[in-house]
Amino acid sequence: MKRVRKAVFPVAGLGTRFLPATKAIPKEMLTVVDRPVIQYVVDEARDAGIEHFIFVTGRNKAVIEDHFDVQFELYDTLAQRGKDDQLARLQRLQPAPGQTSFTRQQVPMGLGHAVWCARELVGDEPFALLLPDMIMQSEKSCMKDMVELYAETGNNIIAVQECDPAEAHKYGIVGRGEDTHHGFRITGMVEKPKHGTAPSNLFINGRYILQPEIFGILESQERGAGNEIQLTDAMLKLEKKQPFYGYHYKGRTFDCGSPEGFVEANVAFALWRSDMNGSMAGVIRTLLDEVQPAERRGAAS
């Protein structure tokens, strides 16, 4: 059984929900506290033992490549000014030479197409797929636990979390079968099921480990919802040939693809830090008492 060495990050999206902020800055480079969103996701993959980071990019995304490159002038300036702690931190986050690869998704044809664009870089081996909009907060990373489950099963792994059953129609939902190891067998998948038809309340949270056979399916996959090539459609076909297992993640997940989720992530990660918790908790309590929405301010005046 080949181990999981490579991870794919689809970062070609336009980030239209964050305009005008993303007019010139990729949404993946927006910061949660003091790190870009994409850095959190790459750190999660590195913590799971990933050695090769593959980014599927688009136009105006070159700054992501620059972020993971060595910046000699900055490093030299920090060294000369004696900012050793900051320099050491940057160097710890720096991928080694040859650990990053970038390929283009020239046309916006969906997640399945973005994954397919990485086929030559992944090759004939299992790979992790991490959606960069989703960042996780837990003592042990989601992907690290998934890699351990993969080592036990040797098959496809999907991370899931619980949602309100009334909200299941908004997500990709899996059916839950028998428990195995520290996961469970997936009995089916459905994208945004109609009300009352969901097989469970376990939604796919943006973390996968997939076998390379998915590329052959994506090669000829027809367009699905939104006139895009859907990864879920391809996984349903692969499920007929290979088992899928679910990993029930119990930490927090923040959807940084939405303004609300992005702000929530900033608050949660600020409160999680020992150097910021005390001051930020007080600030948040004060704002809750003092700040009113615009429509309430207008009514009061």
Side-chain angles (χ1 to χ4, degrees), residues 6-45:
K6 299 180 180 181
V8 174
F9 306 89
V11 294
L14 297 176
T16 54
R17 285 187 286 180
F18 282 93
L19 287 170
T22 51
K23 183 179 179 182
I25 300 172
K27 64 176 180 176
E28 298 83 7
M29 291 300 296
L30 297 177
T31 55
V32 171
V33 186
D34 56 2
R35 282 194 290 170
V37 169
I38 188 61
Q39 185 70 63
Y40 286 90
V41 186
V42 170
D43 289 348
E44 180 185 342

Side-chain angles (χ1 to χ4, degrees), residues 237-248:
K237 292 181 179 179
L238 184 59
E239 184 190 22
K240 297 176 181 178
K241 304 175 182 178
Q242 297 179 356
F244 274 74
Y245 292 88
Y247 165 65
H248 193 172

Side-chain angles (χ1 to χ4, degrees), residues 174-185:
V174 305
R176 179 165 190 154
E178 71 278 7
D179 290 342
T180 176
H181 304 285
H182 66 289
F184 62 91
R185 183 72 178 264

Side-chain angles (χ1 to χ4, degrees), residues 29-288:
M29 291 300 296
L30 297 177
T31 55
V32 171
V33 186
D34 56 2
R35 282 194 290 170
V37 169
I38 188 61
Q39 185 70 63
Y40 286 90
V41 186
V42 170
D43 289 348
E44 180 185 342
R46 181 188 287 112
D47 184 54
I50 299 298
E51 301 171 354
H52 189 177
F53 310 99
I54 301 168
F55 300 86
V56 182
T57 71
R59 294 184 62 191
N60 300 322
K61 298 282 185 168
V63 67
I64 297 176
E65 188 169 352
D66 291 340
H67 174 72
F68 290 103
D69 199 357
V70 174
Q71 298 183 7
F72 294 102
E73 297 85 353
L74 174 61
Y75 289 6
D76 183 62
T77 299
L78 291 175
Q80 290 185 26
R81 294 179 180 178
K83 298 183 180 294
D84 297 333
D85 290 344
Q86 289 179 307
L87 178 59
R89 185 185 181 201
L90 289 176
Q91 290 174 332
R92 284 196 302 269
L93 298 175
Q94 181 72 50
Q99 280 194 319
T100 57
S101 296
F102 297 82
T103 187
R104 285 287 185 100
Q105 182 187 18
Q106 287 94 341
V107 288
M109 290 175 59
L111 176 59
H113 182 259
V115 173
W116 180 76
C117 288
R119 65 198 182 281
E120 296 296 337
L121 292 169
V122 172
D124 186 25
E125 57 185 284
F127 65 99
L129 171 64
L130 298 91
L131 304 192
D133 283 349
M134 313 299 283
I135 63 174
M136 314 298 203
Q137 188 184 69
S138 58
E139 293 298 332
K140 187 176 181 181
S141 77
C142 180
M143 183 53 65
K144 189 170 186 177
D145 265 340
M146 292 176 67
V147 168
E148 291 176 3
L149 179 57
Y150 172 80
E152 296 169 351
T153 64
N155 281 291
N156 305 280
I157 311 291
I158 299 177
V160 299
Q161 286 181 255
E162 294 178 359
C163 68
D164 183 338
E167 302 290 313
H169 66 283
K170 298 180 180 180
Y171 305 101
I173 302 292
V174 305
R176 179 165 190 154
E178 71 278 7
D179 290 342
T180 176
H181 304 285
H182 66 289
F184 62 91
R185 183 72 178 264
I186 290 177
T187 58
M189 290 173 271
V190 58
E191 189 69 30
K192 297 182 179 179
K194 294 181 180 179
H195 280 284
T197 66
S200 75
N201 68 330
L202 297 174
F203 73 94
I204 300 172
N205 71 1
R207 299 291 186 269
Y208 313 77
I209 294 175
L210 298 171
Q211 296 291 336
E213 286 79 10
I214 195 74
F215 294 121
I217 297 173
L218 290 168
E219 178 83 36
S220 57
Q221 178 65 46
E222 297 178 354
R223 298 193 185 204
N227 198 33
E228 296 179 337
I229 297 175
Q230 297 292 336
L231 179 65
T232 302
D233 293 341
M235 290 194 300
L236 284 169
K237 292 181 179 179
L238 184 59
E239 184 190 22
K240 297 176 181 178
K241 304 175 182 178
Q242 297 179 356
F244 274 74
Y245 292 88
Y247 165 65
H248 193 172
Y249 176 63
K250 300 296 180 63
R252 300 184 184 92
T253 298
F254 304 97
D255 181 3
C256 291
S258 71
E260 297 84 358
F262 176 73
V263 173
E264 182 185 4
N266 270 279
V267 173
F269 276 92
L271 291 174
W272 215 37
R273 286 177 46 161
S274 58
D275 62 328
M276 299 181 70
N277 177 276
S279 60
M280 287 305 303
V283 168
I284 292 168
R285 281 192 285 268
T286 300
L287 291 175
L288 287 171

